[in-house]
Amino acid sequence: MTVGFLLATCCSDPGIIPPRRIVLLAGSREHLKQQLGYDLLGPAGLEPSHDQLIDAETMVPEHLRKQGYRWCKTCEIIRPPRAAHCKDCDHCVLRFDHHCPFVNNCVGQRNYHYFFAFTTSALFFAALVLPAFMRAFSGVSGDAPGWYGWIVTVGFVAVAAITVLLVVPLAVSLLALLAGEDHQGALAAAGFRQRAHFACASGAQADAT
């Protein structure tokens, strides 16, 4: 189960928003407009000036700016609220949470439930394995080979370290779900001023401009 959720997190689409060049090449502007409820590329007839300040004003209609829509200078599209550009994947992602280096994928709107299930199942798996290692460690006698004791010790330390590392993202994920925010928003709500660095959550900060 844990491996299945891991593969699902790695291989699933986190909610990538196609950049301007892909939308134009695919001819999907009108289709995306119907799906999203607004023109992803900005007002018809206008082209980006490649100046962030100018494009932020001219390419994003005022009524969308008031709702939290922002211009992405890299993808050259209007991204919806809580979407952000991932510097690792070089894509805008819907409800971007973070880029997880351990799954080599972003965590966003379409795969957040897989990521949460992965961290939860991995933590329960570790909780089951730790007692087994403890029993094996306590059962090591003086007659047992030296290598056996080393294997048990290293295995116990490794699983214990992974368990501790999994507790942090799982706790923040729970806080984010309860608060209706992403990891960054949940940490900010909890009073953290600095950017959090932890396993599976050391992704790129949301691009605020």
Side-chain angles (χ1 to χ4, degrees):
M1 182 184 295
T2 302
V3 174
F5 285 131
L6 173 62
L7 292 175
T9 307
C10 293
C11 303
S12 58
D13 174 17
I16 292 175
I17 308 173
R20 188 182 195 88
R21 63 183 183 276
I22 300 299
V23 174
L24 293 175
L25 287 173
S28 57
R29 182 172 187 168
E30 290 301 320
H31 174 72
L32 290 173
K33 184 177 180 180
Q34 295 177 0
Q35 294 292 320
L36 298 174
Y38 72 98
D39 194 340
L40 189 69
L41 305 185
L46 288 181
E47 291 295 326
S49 65
H50 306 294
D51 184 296
Q52 174 63 23
L53 296 178
I54 295 177
D55 290 338
E57 294 291 333
T58 59
M59 299 302 294
V60 185
E62 184 177 356
H63 70 282
L64 291 180
R65 287 201 303 271
K66 291 180 179 179
Q67 298 176 42
Y69 290 77
R70 295 291 181 265
W71 178 256
C72 177
K73 62 181 180 180
T74 305
C75 297
E76 296 186 331
I77 59 171
I78 301 174
R79 64 182 182 223
R82 294 187 62 183
H85 188 87
C86 176
K87 298 178 181 178
D88 296 282
C89 297
D90 198 28
H91 283 292
C92 282
V93 178
L94 292 169
R95 295 174 68 91
F96 177 77
D97 192 86
H98 67 280
H99 182 90
C100 181
F102 291 93
V103 301
N104 194 31
N105 197 9
C106 289
V107 177
Q109 177 173 302
R110 295 177 184 170
N111 67 348
Y112 190 90
H113 51 294
Y114 293 137
F115 175 76
F116 182 77
F118 162 63
T119 54
T120 304
S121 60
L123 188 61
F124 276 109
F125 178 73
L128 292 174
V129 172
L130 275 176
F133 271 111
M134 293 178 67
R135 286 195 298 268
F137 185 78
S138 61
V140 175
S141 64
D143 298 332
W147 57 265
Y148 178 76
W150 277 106
I151 290 177
V152 172
T153 302
V154 172
F156 176 79
V157 172
V159 175
I162 293 173
T163 303
V164 172
L165 290 175
L166 285 172
V167 167
V168 178
L170 180 60
V172 178
S173 296
L174 285 173
L175 182 61
L177 287 175
L178 294 175
E181 298 285 349
D182 54 18
H183 276 165
Q184 299 295 333
L187 289 169
F192 289 89
R193 298 296 182 181
Q194 302 295 326
R195 180 182 176 184
H197 289 276
F198 48 81
C200 292
S202 59
Q205 188 85 323
D207 184 0
T209 58

